Amino acid sequence: MMRSSHRRSGRCGTRDFSTKSRCASSGNLLDFTSAVRARTHRYPMLPHHQKSLGRDWTTPWENLQRCCWNRHISSCMRWPGHYSRAPYPYFSSRHFSLNWRPPCLFESRTPFQYWNWRPDNLSQTSLIHLSSYIMNSEGDEPSSKRRKHQGTIQRHWEYICNHNKDKTKILGDQNVDPTCEDSDNKFDFSVMSYNILSQDLLEDNSHLYRHCRRPVLHWSFRFPNILKEIKHFDADVLCLQEVQEDHYGAEIRPSLESLGYHCEYKMRTGRKPDGCAICFKHSKFALLSVNPVEFYRRDVPLLDRDNVGLVLLLQPKIPSAASPVICVANTHLLYNPRRGDIKLTQLAMLLAEISSVAHQKDGSFCPIVMCGDFNSVPGSPLYSFIKEGKLNYEGLAIGKVSGQEQSSRGQRILSIPIWPPNLGISQNCVYEVQQLPKVEKTDSDLTQTELDKTEVLVTAEKLSSNLQHHFSLSSVYSHYFPDTGIPEVTTCHSRSAITVDYIFYSAEKEDVAEQPGSEVALVGGLKLLARLSLLTEQDLWTVNGLPNENNSSDHLPLLAKFRLEL
């Protein structure tokens, strides 16, 4: 599939160049273009070696300058191989040299690399020579998002200390842990959520990575970087999304097991190549149960997508007679911004599984950590439902659920109820037992009026537009920088830079202020000790966005440290 797309783009690039060549009056450049077309193989537009040209090709500089000055040769040429589009350099004096011939062109069967227009002293009567092009470090990216400098992005730990119930304190980057109510009756652990970008999905969506240079997109380059990040942060629990199945079996799982992790994996249904994984350290937890969730349902037309979730019940390894348990969930919801009905239903299915796994004998729920790529932005109805535990979706446009769509014109309204009764999940996002109505055989059957009343009551109950769940969930991140109000970003590519990744955890909440993202967990459930800071879109483009030489996914890893009171 990718190869065919590159061939198409190669033809586009050839047409663009031939159009430019007709601007020049010299026939030599036209002959050159014909020769190039005749030799188009793996590298469109480019002959394999100098012998195929037969002679040097030159054209008067003033003719080419007059028609093509400061214009692109082509904006639709793809790199050879499974990589993104990249613009050619401009026709200008700094790109040309006088009759310069690279030695490699004279070697028989030597592949023609690319084209390079090198600066030299040119006059209006000079002739130009077309030589092999080599990408410059400043010319690979779209002009609007060109590299400013190479380097690494700086992230620091934000420590959150609860000195009392009325205030919290966030410390800057420090090398020591905060003194947050130190006690022997506690269990501290860290959680990372990371969409590592499936290689197959990267190649199928190469238009999202036009800003990237080819080498940084190779899996052989990306995986060592990803593994290096995991080693560096050394989280006790990993929740990974877009984990490609063949890479998981051959590289990811063996590498993580060698670091002391136990790995559980759920591949997407259908023919999708990736899935979700939860990995935890043997030294910290014991596995009590593994509960995969498939969002695809053959008998429910609404649920025709192959997304999945994974829910684990873990027991901390601590010297305690009554050791508590922790429920860890991981998912990757549907991307499609216009299918909020599917997203809400998938979320309800995940919450129902969490409710089943986390439910305790006394009727309460054990502490919950829910991670993943939810493909929804902060403040959206789906996000608000997770945090507030309720959502009235009456009159809500289907494309407004995730907050990714700016306009709802022409979009239908969510149906009531969103999912059919045969899904077996109530509006409270718990599994419900399917029961047939009890019918007692008596001599006197119900009258038609009584039957009508019963039907009306059942219909009214089914048509509730209120969703609920029973968890008290907070977000680890505030989603906005408190000093500037600039949004935090968890994913960045050539199309957008937004927040779609989250770590939610169960805790009672108190409002610290009325500004967005100001709610911080203070008491009950899990206590948030620290989080790894996020970045702005501007921060990410100073290192050429994502992926780049040091960060090998189009998502940032999210990382939090929690405390469980025993």
Side-chain angles (χ1 to χ4, degrees):
M1 178 178 177
M2 295 300 300
R3 287 194 295 271
S4 62
S5 65
H6 296 146
R7 286 196 295 270
R8 288 195 297 271
S9 60
R11 290 194 295 270
C12 178
T14 305
R15 283 198 302 271
D16 283 354
F17 183 80
S18 61
T19 302
K20 303 293 183 185
S21 66
R22 284 195 294 270
C23 296
S25 59
S26 172
N28 290 336
L29 188 56
L30 292 175
D31 293 341
F32 167 75
T33 305
S34 301
V36 168
R37 285 178 172 174
R39 295 295 301 172
T40 298
H41 292 293
R42 179 183 176 188
Y43 301 99
M45 304 174 52
L46 306 175
H48 279 282
H49 48 82
Q50 184 72 12
K51 287 185 178 180
S52 64
L53 296 178
R55 56 192 175 94
D56 293 336
W57 300 97
T58 59
T59 186
W61 165 249
E62 62 272 15
N63 294 336
L64 191 59
Q65 180 191 39
R66 182 166 53 251
C67 296
C68 303
W69 186 272
N70 281 342
R71 300 178 69 99
H72 282 98
I73 297 178
S74 170
S75 61
C76 60
M77 175 67 181
R78 286 181 185 265
W79 289 108
H82 303 300
Y83 297 103
S84 57
R85 302 182 181 189
Y88 281 125
Y90 291 96
F91 274 109
S92 66
S93 60
R94 67 184 179 88
H95 292 125
F96 296 92
S97 61
L98 292 174
N99 296 321
W100 179 80
R101 304 183 183 93
C104 64
L105 295 180
F106 294 98
E107 298 176 8
S108 177
R109 297 296 177 186
T110 300
F112 210 108
Q113 296 298 318
Y114 305 109
W115 292 1
N116 188 27
W117 314 98
R118 296 188 177 275
D120 212 335
N121 296 325
L122 294 175
S123 66
Q124 290 290 67
T125 58
S126 300
L127 302 180
I128 66 167
H129 179 86
L130 304 180
S131 60
S132 68
Y133 174 67
I134 303 172
M135 278 307 256
N136 298 317
S137 62
E138 300 293 334
D140 298 356
E141 304 85 14
S143 57
S144 61
K145 296 176 179 177
R146 253 184 216 154
R147 173 184 302 280
K148 296 181 180 179
H149 66 270
Q150 293 188 9
T152 58
I153 54 179
Q154 300 297 323
R155 302 177 65 184
H156 61 274
W157 281 102
E158 297 173 343
Y159 291 110
I160 302 174
C161 293
N162 174 28
H163 296 291
N164 54 58
K165 293 184 180 181
D166 297 326
K167 69 175 184 177
T168 61
K169 183 179 180 182
I170 299 179
L171 306 179
D173 188 13
Q174 298 186 3
N175 296 323
V176 295
D177 289 336
T179 56
C180 298
E181 298 181 357
D182 288 335
S183 170
D184 293 334
N185 299 321
K186 60 183 174 60
F187 176 77
D188 293 351
F189 65 100
S190 56
V191 176
M192 173 189 281
S193 181
Y194 196 4
N195 182 326
I196 64 173
L197 181 58
S198 160
Q199 189 67 24
D200 282 0
L201 294 178
L202 181 156
E203 294 177 1
D204 289 343
N205 298 276
S206 59
H207 61 281
L208 299 179
Y209 311 104
R210 296 176 180 177
H211 60 285
C212 301
R213 289 200 298 270
R214 175 171 62 175
V216 304
L217 298 178
H218 281 291
W219 176 249
S220 59
F221 179 90
R222 293 177 55 233
F223 178 62
N225 268 359
I226 293 170
L227 190 61
K228 180 181 178 181
E229 282 185 293
I230 293 174
K231 287 181 180 179
H232 173 72
F233 293 119
D234 195 33
D236 299 314
V237 179
L238 305 175
C239 291
L240 307 178
Q241 305 90 41
E242 289 195 26
V243 180
Q244 193 163 303
E245 192 270 341
D246 55 343
H247 292 157
Y248 173 76
E251 297 172 89
I252 298 174
R253 180 174 181 174
S255 298
L256 294 180
E257 287 179 342
S258 68
L259 297 177
Y261 289 96
H262 173 85
C263 301
E264 295 292 338
Y265 178 71
K266 174 57 183 173
M267 187 176 176
R268 283 203 287 168
T269 52
R271 297 183 178 180
K272 305 301 182 183
D274 65 290
C276 295
I278 300 180
C279 312
F280 60 90
K281 286 189 175 180
H282 289 289
S283 60
K284 297 281 285 190
F285 297 97
L287 179 63
L288 298 183
S289 69
V290 180
N291 308 274
V293 185
E294 294 184 356
F295 298 143
Y296 173 83
R297 294 292 179 87
R298 186 184 300 273
D299 58 336
V300 180
L302 174 68
L303 296 173
D304 60 348
R305 308 305 166 92
D306 295 307
N307 305 84
V308 296
L310 186 60
V311 182
L312 267 56
L313 195 62
L314 304 177
Q315 186 170 40
K317 289 185 176 180
I318 52 178
S320 174
S323 176
V325 293
I326 300 172
C327 179
V328 179
N330 184 25
T331 191
H332 189 176
L333 299 185
L334 177 71
Y335 164 74
N336 192 336
R338 293 177 172 268
R339 294 309 304 266
D341 53 346
I342 298 178
K343 294 187 184 191
L344 277 175
T345 307
Q346 290 179 346
L347 176 61
M349 296 172 71
L350 180 68
L351 293 172
E353 186 65 27
I354 294 174
S355 179
S356 176
V357 172
H359 192 269
Q360 300 185 113
K361 293 180 180 179
D362 62 357
S364 64
F365 296 97
C366 69
I368 297 164
V369 178
M370 184 172 70
C371 303
D373 181 344
F374 290 82
N375 276 313
S376 301
V377 302
S380 65
L382 187 144
Y383 172 88
S384 299
F385 173 51
I386 294 175
K387 288 195 64 179
E388 298 172 9
K390 58 184 179 180
L391 173 66
N392 186 346
Y393 59 87
E394 183 177 4
L396 180 61
I398 191 173
K400 288 292 186 179
V401 169
S402 64
Q404 297 163 290
E405 286 283 305
Q406 298 300 318
S407 174
S408 59
R409 293 183 59 186
Q411 296 181 6
R412 64 180 177 88
I413 304 301
L414 286 170
S415 60
I416 304 176
I418 299 175
W419 57 82
N422 65 327
L423 181 59
I425 295 177
S426 72
Q427 297 292 292
N428 292 330
C429 298
V430 296
Y431 292 125
E432 58 184 5
V433 179
Q434 296 293 320
Q435 294 181 346
L436 296 175
K438 295 181 179 179
V439 179
E440 296 182 0
K441 294 183 179 181
T442 60
D443 294 337
S444 58
D445 294 333
L446 294 174
T447 63
Q448 184 62 40
T449 303
E450 291 172 333
L451 289 174
D452 291 341
K453 288 181 179 179
T454 303
E455 184 177 352
V456 169
L457 290 176
V458 171
T459 303
E461 182 181 356
K462 287 183 178 179
L463 292 181
S464 172
S465 60
N466 292 301
L467 294 181
Q468 290 182 324
H469 67 75
H470 301 296
F471 312 123
S472 178
L473 297 176
S474 293
S475 173
V476 163
Y477 290 91
S478 62
H479 314 307
Y480 299 89
F481 288 90
D483 297 334
T484 62
I486 297 175
E488 296 173 333
V489 167
T490 68
T491 180
C492 178
H493 49 65
S494 63
R495 287 283 180 89
S496 66
I498 56 175
T499 287
V500 294
D501 307 278
Y502 303 93
I503 300 178
F504 296 104
Y505 64 103
S506 60
E508 295 181 8
K509 296 172 289 186
E510 292 186 8
D511 292 337
V512 179
E514 296 299 326
Q515 61 186 7
S518 62
E519 294 182 346
V520 180
L522 294 177
V523 293
L526 295 172
K527 184 177 297 181
L528 177 62
L529 298 182
R531 62 194 177 201
L532 187 65
S533 66
L534 288 173
L535 303 167
T536 67
E537 178 179 5
Q538 183 179 3
D539 293 334
L540 289 173
W541 281 116
T542 61
V543 291
N544 200 39
L546 297 173
N548 55 52
E549 284 80 358
N550 298 294
N551 309 92
S552 287
S553 173
D554 57 351
H555 292 249
L556 292 173
L558 280 57
L559 195 62
K561 295 180 180 180
F562 297 105
R563 173 165 294 171
L564 174 64
E565 300 290 347
L566 304 178

